[in-house]
Amino acid sequence: MNELTKEQKEKVKNILSQMTLEEKIGQMNQESVSIVGGFDVSFEELIEMMTDGRISHEEFEKIMGSAEKDYHEDEIRAGGVGSIMVQDPQKANELQRIAVEESRLKIPLLFGLDVIHGFRSVYPIAIAEAGSFEPELFERTARMAAKESRSQGVSWHFAPMIDVARDARWGRVSEGPGEDPYLVTEFAKSKVRGLQNDTSSPKNYVAACLKHYVAYGACESGRDYNTVSMAKSMLYNTYLPPFKEAAKEGAATAMASFNDINGVPSTVNTFALRELLKETYGLPGFVVSDANGIRECVAHGIAEDNYDAGVQAANAGLDMDMGTGIFRDYMKKAVEEGKVSMEVIDEAVERILGVKVWLGLFEHPYITEEDMHQYDTLPKEHIALAREAAEKSVVLLKNEGHLLPLKKDAKISLVGALAEKKEEIIGAWALSWKKEDCVTILDAFEEKGVNYSYYPCCDVEGEINEEELKGAISDGDVIVAVVGENVSMSGEASSRADITLPGKQREMLQRLLESGKPVVAILMNGRPLALKWEQEHIQAIIEGWHLGIQMGPAITGILFGEVNPSGKLAATFPAMTGQCPIYYNHPNTGRPGSKSKFTSRYLDAGFEPLYPFGYGLSYTSYEYSNLAVAENKDSLNITLDVENTGDMAGVETVQLYMRDVTASLVRPIKELKGFQKVTLEKGEKKKIECKLLKENMGFYNDNGEYLLEDGKFQIFAGGNSKDNLMEEIEIHF
Ligand code: GLC
């Protein structure tokens, strides 16, 4: 969101000057969805009904998509609503007409929705897409989502989700770009550019929403909504950078996270919201609470009651209330009692109006019939982009004896119910997908004319079908088993205390292995899994994640070698759940983990992860050599050679890490500071050059001071965070 023009600022000031206090408070109110069809409840009560099982996840989504009842039409007419979640363009126009034609000041509504990894052209979940290590791709997929959603009236995405996450027990690792601050920051900036920067037409851009601010991914024990406490230096060095850089990139809005940070919930955290995000990082737009977040401050024990929670939130710099109605019900009283100043109200409303003006909502409040139907048939470019993103997100984890790629005419037993389920390829938080767009692995096998027979054999949760297992074992020469998690096992409120393959899937794999036939496991999951047994016994393992509508063609293309896998892991995979949280950029400790007993390790799980951050195999192989580091005044020049030593072309992600060996705070043993994708033909060798600015080699202390300290540094380069070339260098800043 670029700086408003003089005219736009004038417009905002002019509207603000005409507004009554009630109308100002109305802009700060995002109405929850009230529903007919048997449920006349608010959004958060719907969440509760889904959580305690009174309605299923599918019913929740159906209700959200089919909301019929008026959205408090009289309230909109009275200027009492600033924003609404919407999925139906007709409904959006209907409500917008009331706001724009019947309210006193005719301020348009801002329609928001969760569009996390695609609108109708659903592409890979973020933890998968981040593994493509391709910022340009992150931007293109975001722009596609912006165009598709804007045509349906959605001009505000509650995205990107940019929570650094290091504990795979947390279900929301699926929604974010992984464990590394640098990669998450690159993802965040690219997504903001993709969502916001094509302002050539109001059809092409939406407001981004950086979430969840901040450190939600550090919830204790990986249990969703749990408390967060950490040294402030950790906050500054690990969790804040994506928000800082994305705010500088011009992100229009941000969403306060549910969690407390060292005892103060983000929703009422003045230091985090007003001082840091707005004043220091310069967020140009406004901050919205997460759903029900203000009310939850009473449960947190930081607010006496809803009134107190509302007062604290407004004063802390929270500008819009998602779904509780607390601002609507109490802000007037708060101002009249002098608990909240008119300056606080005016600042919030100015920010909200600024985003609406920047989006062009005053000039283009409605969706035209033409817009509405622009994507009735998905453009082939969108399908192609969803497939490209899917292919680039797949990670080859194991390929013993070069079992893969399979021969075109291989006789295959395709096994596992996940192979056919369209609803399981789209991943968590896909709200606007259509079944007819989804191509499963089974669909792709059929379309490609693969020589296969299909045996569901086993659901993610459920018993093994003995008949089908027998058929699978006897039919194929090679067994392709699709195993993993249901979409409902990751995303919000979906932490798992045991992150091995759920149900009887491992038993099914064991039984398949007894056939003596080669087994390929294709994983469909929303988080890193603890796959120690699978790594020890299964000949080939492909990490397929939840890749979106083109999952089938992407996986099949890789299985048969039309595409050489190039994806890398954006998050560490543990050998066992008990190792969580586990991540590569950890401090060394005084007893770094090793095979000897008295070091930082587990008796039953050692200290190494199963697969490290940045890891991913290829059908070819690469060799790294000649790492050299030269110091310039303001930067390091780093060069190295990478050679394709295998027998097919491939794309390798060369990763650059550094270590500050001795500093005034212990620093991680490695920190990602750059990456470059390089295409190498068979036998080709390329020299890679990258520059590391000295200003980026520092760290924050507990006071938020950024320190560049002279001393010894180590520079690493390689194809993952573990196997690297290394050079040491003394740096004087
Ligand atoms: C949810 C999520 C948030 C989402 C919001 C609106 O509870 O925490 O990510 O954007 O509510 O659906």
Side-chain angles (χ1 to χ4, degrees):
M1 173 180 173
N2 25 42
E3 174 86 17
L4 295 184
T5 63
K6 189 167 168 296
E7 295 71 31
Q8 288 174 327
K9 285 179 183 168
E10 278 310 310
K11 185 180 182 74
V12 169
K13 289 260 183 258
N14 176 36
I15 297 168
L16 192 66
S17 66
Q18 300 173 58
M19 295 173 84
T20 63
L21 174 58
E22 289 79 357
E23 287 165 334
K24 291 177 180 177
I25 292 167
Q27 289 303 308
M28 299 167 72
N29 178 37
Q30 184 187 64
E31 264 312 334
S32 57
V33 172
S34 58
I35 304 291
V36 287
F39 301 96
D40 187 2
V41 291
S42 66
F43 176 73
E44 69 274 358
E45 281 156 316
L46 265 183
I47 291 266
E48 267 164 34
M49 292 168 78
M50 180 175 66
T51 311
D52 62 24
R54 278 176 286 157
I55 56 172
S56 69
H57 195 85
E58 293 67 28
E59 276 174 319
F60 170 79
E61 287 190 349
K62 191 158 145 282
I63 290 167
M64 281 295 285
S66 63
E68 294 301 324
K69 193 173 177 207
D70 66 281
Y71 287 79
H72 315 283
E73 288 180 3
D74 294 343
E75 237 178 310
I76 295 172
R77 203 165 279 116
V81 183
S83 169
I84 285 184
M85 287 187 216
V86 76
Q87 265 188 295
D88 173 343
Q90 304 288 2
K91 175 59 79 178
N93 273 346
E94 200 184 301
L95 300 171
Q96 193 67 293
R97 193 193 51 71
I98 299 171
V100 167
E101 295 172 23
E102 297 179 24
S103 76
R104 189 176 76 85
L105 292 174
K106 309 191 180 332
I107 299 170
L109 294 165
L110 174 60
F111 293 116
L113 191 70
D114 291 287
V115 185
I116 312 296
H117 52 104
F119 187 73
R120 182 173 156 195
S121 300
V122 178
Y123 51 84
I125 54 175
I127 194 168
E129 190 190 19
S132 69
F133 279 75
E134 200 165 307
E136 189 268 341
L137 176 71
F138 304 153
E139 188 169 334
R140 282 190 289 136
T141 49
R143 182 152 299 122
M144 171 171 73
K147 289 179 176 176
E148 287 186 9
S149 65
R150 198 82 195 250
S151 76
Q152 302 303 298
V154 176
S155 46
W156 180 28
H157 286 191
F158 304 138
M161 192 276 215
I162 53 173
D163 300 317
V164 170
R166 297 168 147 178
D167 193 325
R169 292 171 293 180
W170 190 45
R172 304 195 80 163
V173 292
S174 68
E175 293 172 58
E179 73 187 44
D180 178 73
Y182 182 88
L183 178 58
V184 173
T185 298
E186 289 307 303
F187 183 91
K189 294 190 297 182
S190 306
K191 287 300 180 188
V192 167
R193 287 194 294 269
L195 291 175
Q196 298 194 161
N197 285 13
D198 182 358
T199 52
S200 58
S201 152
K203 296 182 192 177
N204 298 347
Y205 70 105
V206 297
C209 183
L210 306 178
K211 74 182 189 182
H212 304 78
Y213 184 75
V214 67
Y216 182 24
C219 49
E220 193 172 279
S221 321
R223 200 176 76 230
D224 206 357
Y225 314 120
N226 204 0
T227 184
V228 168
S229 51
M230 66 177 73
K232 285 187 87 171
S233 58
M234 170 76 79
L235 205 53
Y236 281 114
N237 291 312
T238 305
Y239 294 92
L240 284 167
F243 291 91
K244 176 183 177 189
E245 296 308 320
K248 277 164 55 182
E249 194 70 33
T253 72
M255 183 185 288
S257 58
F258 291 122
N259 57 283
D260 71 286
I261 308 164
N262 298 332
V264 181
S266 306
T267 308
V268 295
N269 195 312
T270 305
F271 164 69
L273 296 181
R274 194 175 290 287
E275 292 168 27
L276 216 42
L277 184 59
K278 289 178 168 179
E279 291 167 7
T280 309
Y281 298 165
L283 182 83
F286 66 90
V287 181
V288 64
S289 67
D290 199 339
N292 207 36
I294 299 179
R295 177 180 288 121
E296 290 172 13
C297 289
V298 180
H300 270 289
I302 200 92
E304 291 291 333
D305 52 28
N306 287 345
Y307 176 53
D308 183 17
V311 165
Q312 288 191 50
N315 286 329
L318 192 86
D319 304 304
M320 186 182 281
D321 165 15
M322 180 183 281
T324 71
I326 288 173
F327 277 3
R328 179 197 61 210
D329 298 342
Y330 296 103
M331 246 344 90
K332 187 165 189 296
K333 176 170 179 264
V335 170
E336 285 161 356
E337 291 181 353
K339 294 274 199 304
V340 173
S341 69
M342 189 52 89
E343 288 68 34
V344 164
I345 301 290
D346 283 350
E347 188 214 320
V349 177
E350 196 168 333
R351 285 173 175 271
I352 293 165
L353 291 177
V355 172
K356 292 186 176 183
V357 166
W358 171 72
L359 282 167
L361 292 180
F362 286 84
E363 294 77 19
H364 308 282
Y366 301 113
I367 314 111
T368 65
E369 274 303 307
E370 187 203 349
D371 292 348
M372 224 177 268
H373 298 291
Q374 185 181 357
Y375 297 112
D376 282 0
T377 305
L378 274 192
K380 58 182 186 317
E381 308 79 61
H382 289 199
I383 297 170
L385 179 53
R387 175 164 181 174
E388 177 192 347
E391 287 170 349
K392 291 179 173 177
S393 302
V394 174
V395 184
L396 179 61
L397 297 176
K398 184 180 177 186
N399 189 18
E400 200 174 282
H402 297 289
L403 171 63
L404 297 177
L406 299 178
K407 294 196 176 16
K408 298 276 180 283
D409 60 356
K411 191 168 187 300
I412 294 168
S413 286
L414 178 64
V415 171
L418 282 174
E420 66 176 299
K421 295 191 172 182
K422 293 182 184 286
E423 68 279 12
E424 297 301 347
I425 64 176
I426 42 112
W429 284 107
L431 299 182
S432 314
W433 62 286
K434 292 183 187 297
K435 248 188 167 155
E436 68 259 27
D437 299 329
C438 297
V439 186
T440 63
I441 293 171
L442 180 61
D443 295 333
F445 268 39
E446 193 57 33
E447 282 168 22
K448 265 187 77 65
V450 174
N451 177 12
Y452 77 99
S453 43
Y454 171 54
Y455 299 91
C457 271
C458 179
D459 240 324
V460 170
E461 291 173 305
E463 294 308 314
I464 293 172
N465 180 311
E466 294 298 333
E467 272 315 294
E468 291 175 355
L469 187 71
K470 211 156 59 184
I473 285 171
S474 66
D475 266 14
D477 300 332
V478 62
I479 299 169
V480 174
V482 184
V483 291
E485 296 176 314
N486 286 327
V487 166
S488 61
M489 295 174 170
S490 61
E492 184 172 354
S494 306
S495 297
R496 291 179 65 208
D498 169 2
I499 57 172
T500 55
L501 278 177
K504 299 275 177 79
Q505 299 178 101
R506 177 177 288 181
E507 184 189 328
M508 176 184 77
L509 291 171
Q510 284 164 329
R511 306 270 303 275
L512 292 168
L513 277 175
E514 284 159 12
S515 68
K517 293 181 176 177
V519 176
V520 180
I522 295 178
L523 299 169
M524 282 179 55
N525 46 302
R527 59 160 54 78
L529 296 175
L531 299 169
K532 186 169 181 293
W533 179 88
E534 289 75 10
Q535 170 59 22
E536 287 164 356
H537 296 88
I538 303 293
Q539 200 170 340
I541 305 173
I542 291 177
E543 176 53 78
W545 302 112
H546 295 134
L547 293 174
I549 59 173
Q550 282 284 303
M551 175 140 202
I555 290 290
T556 309
I558 283 170
L559 209 48
F560 291 98
E562 287 149 32
V563 176
N564 185 357
S566 61
K568 301 283 188 177
L569 294 180
T572 301
F573 276 51
M576 295 172 76
T577 304
Q579 291 180 310
C580 293
I582 185 167
Y583 47 97
Y584 86 93
N585 42 358
H586 58 75
N588 205 27
T589 77
R591 297 203 177 193
S594 72
K595 294 208 182 324
S596 68
K597 180 174 173 61
F598 296 95
T599 63
S600 186
R601 62 194 300 279
Y602 299 90
L603 290 175
D604 54 353
F607 66 97
E608 294 276 10
L610 190 67
Y611 308 117
F613 171 84
Y615 171 84
L617 301 176
S618 169
Y619 291 150
T620 187
S621 52
Y622 303 102
E623 203 164 284
Y624 286 76
S625 59
N626 303 327
L627 175 64
V629 181
E631 180 179 0
N632 300 321
K633 183 169 170 300
D634 302 324
S635 64
L636 302 185
N637 260 7
I638 297 144
T639 57
L640 68 143
D641 293 337
V642 187
E643 183 178 5
N644 179 341
T645 51
D647 52 15
M648 70 190 285
V651 178
E652 170 68 331
T653 299
V654 180
Q655 300 155 45
L656 172 71
Y657 298 87
M658 77 158 219
R659 179 185 179 185
D660 184 347
V661 180
T662 309
S664 55
L665 284 178
V666 296
R667 300 300 303 134
I669 58 166
K670 277 178 194 167
E671 298 173 67
L672 183 69
K673 288 294 177 184
F675 54 81
Q676 230 179 77
K677 289 184 86 164
V678 57
T679 302
L680 291 166
E681 295 306 320
K682 174 180 160 186
E684 187 179 10
K685 181 189 259 188
K686 278 185 180 169
K687 181 169 286 302
I688 306 293
E689 287 207 52
C690 33
K691 189 189 285 284
L692 174 54
L693 296 178
K694 286 184 176 178
E695 68 192 44
N696 294 337
M697 297 175 74
F699 61 95
Y700 290 94
N701 64 15
D702 278 340
N703 305 324
E705 292 151 348
Y706 187 69
L707 308 174
L708 291 166
E709 296 179 348
D710 293 359
K712 189 196 300 180
F713 284 77
Q714 291 171 339
I715 302 298
F716 305 85
N720 61 64
S721 59
K722 182 164 173 274
D723 314 307
N724 305 126
L725 301 175
M726 189 273 280
E727 288 294 323
E728 277 194 355
I729 182 166
E730 279 294 323
I731 302 279
H732 301 283
F733 291 101

